[in-house]
Amino acid sequence: MFSERELLKSDNTLFDDSTYPFAGSDPVINLGIRFGIFGAGKGRLAISNVIFETYLYNHLIIRRMRERYRISVETNEITILKYYTEPEAVFMRIEHIAMYVSDLCGARDFFVKYFGAVSNEGYHNKKTDFKSFFLSFDGGARLEIMNKPQMTDIKKDLAQKGYIHIAFSVGSKERVDTLTEQLKADGYEVVSGPRTTGDGYYESCIVGLEGNQIEITV
């Protein structure tokens, strides 16, 4: 297959040395570990052998090539479609959301305990005393929690302008009810629900750590 040579003509992210957070609870990763495709140990995940590595690389390469060419799956023939004569489609997604907190470790522990977050080891800029953790959740969403000297704070009204809450999908009405009751029992204020909204969502909303609203939905 010539796809390796074609892909390596330009910068790409399939063969770099970057590291990324992962969670063993992710369905794809869990299946990969179960069937021996991935090996996990010492906080790292790796493809278990060269055969699987080559197979996965070719799969990712051909998927990227399909963004540029029309490829016949039956014959593996390739027809160039206006290659680079039109702007390539850009896939947009929210990479992460960030928030400043007073109690950095307490905020990390809150999201780990109630929402299954997986935290990195943290970052500390000793020159500025800026500190942060990246928290990863099932499905790929990430939250950066940060702390630094001389932060300002204002009263957080329930209906203020701007970013107002983070919403977590927990999979079922029963889990919405259970988690809401757990948070209420642990002293967090429930400001609405659990209920079915006028537009059909089953949800509750609590005032979580440091006055920030968190929505819990199916």
Side-chain angles (χ1 to χ4, degrees):
M1 181 181 289
F2 67 89
S3 54
E4 289 89 346
R5 296 196 301 273
E6 177 66 27
L7 186 65
L8 290 173
K9 287 180 181 177
S10 59
D11 293 336
N12 64 87
T13 58
L14 294 179
F15 301 96
D16 60 23
D17 295 323
S18 301
T19 58
Y20 304 93
F22 73 95
S25 58
D26 182 284
V28 175
I29 292 177
N30 184 270
L31 281 173
I33 294 174
R34 185 183 305 175
F35 291 103
I37 298 172
F38 300 139
K42 297 181 179 180
R44 297 177 63 86
L45 183 77
I47 302 171
S48 59
N49 61 53
V50 175
I51 295 174
F52 287 136
E53 183 176 359
T54 302
Y55 179 85
L56 289 173
Y57 279 171
N58 283 337
H59 168 74
L60 294 173
I61 291 167
I62 207 68
R63 188 174 69 179
R64 175 169 294 185
M65 289 181 66
R66 284 197 180 102
E67 298 172 359
R68 304 177 180 179
Y69 303 100
R70 177 186 291 132
I71 299 179
S72 169
V73 176
E74 293 79 13
T75 64
N76 207 32
E77 293 179 352
I78 298 176
T79 303
I80 297 177
L81 290 179
K82 298 182 181 178
Y83 185 53
Y84 284 137
T85 60
E86 297 179 356
E88 293 187 60
V90 178
F91 175 71
M92 295 288 187
R93 66 183 180 89
I94 296 176
E95 207 285 330
H96 71 273
I97 297 172
M99 62 188 298
Y100 277 114
V101 296
S102 298
D103 182 357
L104 188 62
C105 291
R108 176 198 60 191
D109 295 343
F110 173 87
F111 286 107
V112 169
K113 176 180 179 180
Y114 294 111
F115 298 101
V118 176
S119 176
N120 69 353
E121 295 180 357
Y123 168 73
H124 182 199
N125 185 320
K126 295 183 179 180
K127 183 177 180 180
T128 63
D129 203 26
F130 171 86
K131 301 175 183 178
S132 70
F133 288 106
F134 265 102
L135 307 177
S136 300
F137 301 89
D138 290 345
R142 297 203 303 163
L143 173 66
E144 183 182 15
I145 52 175
M146 309 173 295
N147 178 279
K148 68 177 182 179
Q150 300 177 335
M151 296 184 300
T152 60
D153 200 4
I154 59 174
K155 180 183 177 182
K156 297 180 176 70
D157 294 323
L158 294 181
Q160 69 185 28
K161 293 181 179 180
Y163 300 114
I164 197 63
H165 68 244
I166 300 174
F168 286 90
S169 172
V170 296
S172 69
K173 291 183 177 181
E174 291 75 15
R175 294 185 69 182
V176 172
D177 295 342
T178 299
L179 184 54
T180 303
E181 285 300 318
Q182 181 183 359
L183 285 158
K184 182 179 180 180
D186 289 346
Y188 295 99
E189 178 187 0
V190 179
V191 294
S192 67
R195 65 193 178 95
T196 300
T197 64
D199 51 355
Y201 288 91
Y202 188 78
E203 65 184 34
S204 67
C205 185
I206 64 137
V207 177
L209 76 161
E210 302 185 15
N212 294 288
Q213 295 180 63
I214 296 177
E215 187 177 277
I216 307 166
T217 185
V218 176

